[in-house]
Amino acid sequence: MAEAVWELLERVAGRAAPMEELRELRLAVQAVPPAALRGRLSAQHLTALFQLLSVDDREQVAACVSILERLLQALDPLWVIRNLREELQKGLFHPDDSVKILSIAQVGRIVENSDAVPEILNSPELLRQIINCIGGERIAVAKEAIKSLSRIAQTQDGLEALFVSSLLSDLKNVMATSDVVRYRVYELIVEISSVSAESLNYCANSGLLSELIGELTGDDMLVRATCIEMVTSLAHTPHGRQYLAQQGVIDKISNIIVGAESDPFSSFYLPGFVKFFGNLAVVDSPQQICERYPVFIEKVFEMAESHDPTMIGVAVDTLGILGSNVEGKQVLQKTRSRFQSLLSKIGHQAKSAPTELRLRCLDAISSLLYLPPEQQTEDLLRMTESWFTSLSSQPLELFRSISTQPFPDLHCGALRVFTAIANQPWAQKLMLDSPGFVEYIVDRSVEPDKASKDAKYELVKALVNSKTIAEIFGNQYYLRLRAYLNEGPYYVKAVATTAVEGAE
């Protein structure tokens, strides 16, 4: 097959190839491993294919792009930039977006090679055109440009090139194209800032981070809603959180939440602001965040207690995030009866709300109730048991009824709740005492699809791996669970059949 590739390449090189030959070549290169293509590929072969892109024939362009993607994979990035720099640069101006994406993706691959990075950084026109691609109409082109520029910024020299040269002016100029493009540049800045404290300093000194924060705390409600998602991404890193704290951004967000009471348009941005604090609490310290910004936890409860499905969904998600670790669980436990009554509402929503909200409730419940074995103290086990019983008058039956409904997502969501509590002794006793429950767990016939089989298998695994399961379930049930685990999630019992003479 490799020989067929060479023959076709030789025929294509240096002349306008008929479409039939390009189709053959496209199929041939897909069938050959990239490693087998190395060695005999020349700049002449590839330049000929790039030249075939300069036609107004979508089928020919698509075929050449597909062939080039495969062939370029086989080549050393340093060789590519040294031999095909001009072709890549022309590709960035091509009217077909797939050619732009091909060129930008190659630049992204080249800058991952430390030897090839200087070649790219010494090509300011190439970088300038990639920056301009952020302003393109097609989001796929802009995303590829952001990805490549983010890779370029992984090195000190790359940061210098982007932020301490005329390219910074190009970034600012492309931002002026439209609101959408401005947010794309902010996305790039946040991505670069998240890499390291040094990267963040370059972005801060460029003035672009300050602009983002200015828009976040400005008066435009829709802009706030967009910007808070990016600032939340920045808060995922320790140096990002430190920067936001030093700039007073976290305090400003808290004050905006306080002022949301009197703002008729707060529903546009409030969900994002609350999610910001939820994420901040998990990566930092739930107790410290909730003590320093009490408005956050108060607003989460208000939203959960409201009648607005959108607000309830955000609140439930946030409670699930907050309660995903022990410290967060303890913060919620301190609110005592208020959280207990809120759990009752969440249990009701899991049973009766529209499907999407039911799923979010089930995921939050799983997160709230899960306790790693090493953290299962008597107090914490009592707490998760009391939370479980607050969800409904018969919580085990509630989730069992959800798990038997003919909706795979809900079915799996309910199984994940059982999995979350499966390693806790009180839950194992409840399961054993519920008529037919253990039989339901080991019954493979009730799982109609792969996702359901996987979810059931995770439940069985959680039970078998628990240190208390053999004692509580007894040897007979324990051995059945062990057998299920050993057989795997997709085991089908063989059924013997007898052939009957004369049967159809």
Side-chain angles (χ1 to χ4, degrees), residues 191-205:
E191 206 167 297
I192 293 171
S193 297
S194 299
V195 173
S196 67
E198 183 185 25
S199 302
L200 187 146
N201 285 336
Y202 273 94
C203 293
N205 291 336

Side-chain angles (χ1 to χ4, degrees), residues 231-249:
V231 173
T232 300
S233 297
L234 189 58
H236 285 151
T237 63
H239 61 272
R241 292 194 295 279
Q242 184 180 11
Y243 173 80
L244 293 173
Q246 286 170 347
Q247 298 298 312
V249 177

